[in-house]
């Protein structure tokens, strides 16, 4: 007994495409004061044994 | 129906802000802050050079709550450690003040020390933060030139830790 099964033709493989990703940061850069403040915050977290990365 | 009570973390930060606003220059303290702010992270928008005068330069303290650690649970709540970062800033404009590693005026350090001393004294004057906490402490202060130099301002960063019981019923 043969099954009447439709066999789909293989899909042609998609060609790899090159996409230009603009070099834009995900978040706006903080101002220099905020950057200094956040450096301090990271230091404080590191010294308390957290955020060691 | 009455509204829910404010969360304990909010009460603690509000109490700290009120505490800092109560600093008055005189025999106990050097500088009266013109503003005490709460900001997510200290930034240029916190500084307002139009405040103050030549004899009383703009002095602005900014509180920025950080993360919080949860510790032991009790039958009524959870021991919690709240972290709050403080940025203390005072207008400071000596001539030729451009290089953080060759500052022409050693008074920046003196101003930084005075602000730090004022705030430390005020906070340690009420270790239970208006009975909202078990203990407040200051584990880190940074006045280093390379980390705190801001042209036109003397700046100090301080970290505050507040230990409290986060009540289940709160």
């Amino acid at each position: 007994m043969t099954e009447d099964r439709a066999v789909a033709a293989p899909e042609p493989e998609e060609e790899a495409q090159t996409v230009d990703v603009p070099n834009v940061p995900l978040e706006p850069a903080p101002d220099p004061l905020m950057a200094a403040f956040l450096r301090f915050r990271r230091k404080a977290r590191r010294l308390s044994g957290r955020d060691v990365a | 129906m009455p509204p829910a009570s404010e969360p304990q973390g909010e009460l603690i930060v509000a109490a700290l802000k009120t505490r800092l606003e109560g600093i008055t220059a005189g025999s106990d303290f050097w500088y009266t802050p013109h503003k005490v702010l709460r900001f997510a992270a200290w930034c240029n928008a916190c500084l307002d050079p139009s405040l103050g005068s030549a004899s009383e330069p703009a002095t602005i303290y900014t509180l920025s709550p950080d993360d919080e650690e949860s510790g032991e649970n009790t039958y009524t709540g959870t021991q919690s450690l709240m972290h709050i970062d403080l940025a203390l800033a005072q207008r400071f404009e000596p001539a030729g003040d451009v290089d953080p590693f060759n500052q022409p005026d050693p008074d920046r350090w003196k101003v930084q020390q005075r602000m730090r001393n004022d705030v430390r004294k005020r906070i340690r004057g009420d270790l239970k933060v208006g009975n909202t906490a078990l203990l407040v402490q200051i584990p880190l202060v940074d006045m280093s030139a390379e980390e705190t130099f801001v042209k036109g301002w003397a700046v100090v960063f301080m970290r505050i830790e507040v230990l409290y019981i986060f009540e289940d019923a709160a």
Side-chain angles (χ1 to χ4, degrees), chain B residues 2 23 43 63 78 82-83 85-86 91-92 103 124 129:
Chain B
I23 297 176
C43 59
L63 287 157
T78 305
M82 175 188 284
H83 301 99
D85 293 320
L86 256 175
R91 197 81 176 128
F92 185 78
Q103 297 180 32
R124 289 196 57 82
V129 198

Side-chain angles (χ1 to χ4, degrees), chain B residues 23-26 28-32 110 113-115 117-118:
Chain B
I23 297 176
T24 305
D28 285 336
F29 300 103
W30 281 98
Y31 307 121
T32 303
K110 194 196 301 183
Q113 287 284 353
R114 287 176 176 178
M115 285 194 293
N117 206 66
D118 280 358

Side-chain angles (χ1 to χ4, degrees), chain A residues 13-34:
Chain A
E13 288 187 15
E14 287 186 14
E15 291 183 12
Q17 293 183 348
T18 305
V19 179
D20 284 334
V21 179
N23 187 20
V24 176
L26 294 177
E27 297 179 14
D31 68 39
L33 275 62
M34 188 186 287

Side-chain angles (χ1 to χ4, degrees), chain B residues 27 61 74 163:
Chain B
S27 56
Y61 298 162
T74 71
L163 183 68

Side-chain angles (χ1 to χ4, degrees), chain B residues 57-106:
Chain B
T59 304
I60 301 166
Y61 298 162
T62 307
L63 287 157
S64 300
D66 192 17
D67 58 1
E68 186 170 321
E69 291 177 59
S70 292
E72 300 292 326
N73 286 293
T74 71
Y75 284 106
T76 59
T78 305
Q79 182 174 291
S80 300
L81 187 64
M82 175 188 284
H83 301 99
I84 300 161
D85 293 320
L86 256 175
L88 318 177
Q90 182 174 110
R91 197 81 176 128
F92 185 78
E93 300 179 282
D97 188 19
V98 291
D99 181 355
F101 299 104
N102 186 22
Q103 297 180 32
D105 193 335

Side-chain angles (χ1 to χ4, degrees), chain A residues 24-43:
Chain A
V24 176
L26 294 177
E27 297 179 14
D31 68 39
L33 275 62
M34 188 186 287
F37 175 77
L38 294 179
R39 273 200 308 276
F40 169 77
R41 175 165 278 179
R42 278 196 293 274
K43 184 201 285 184

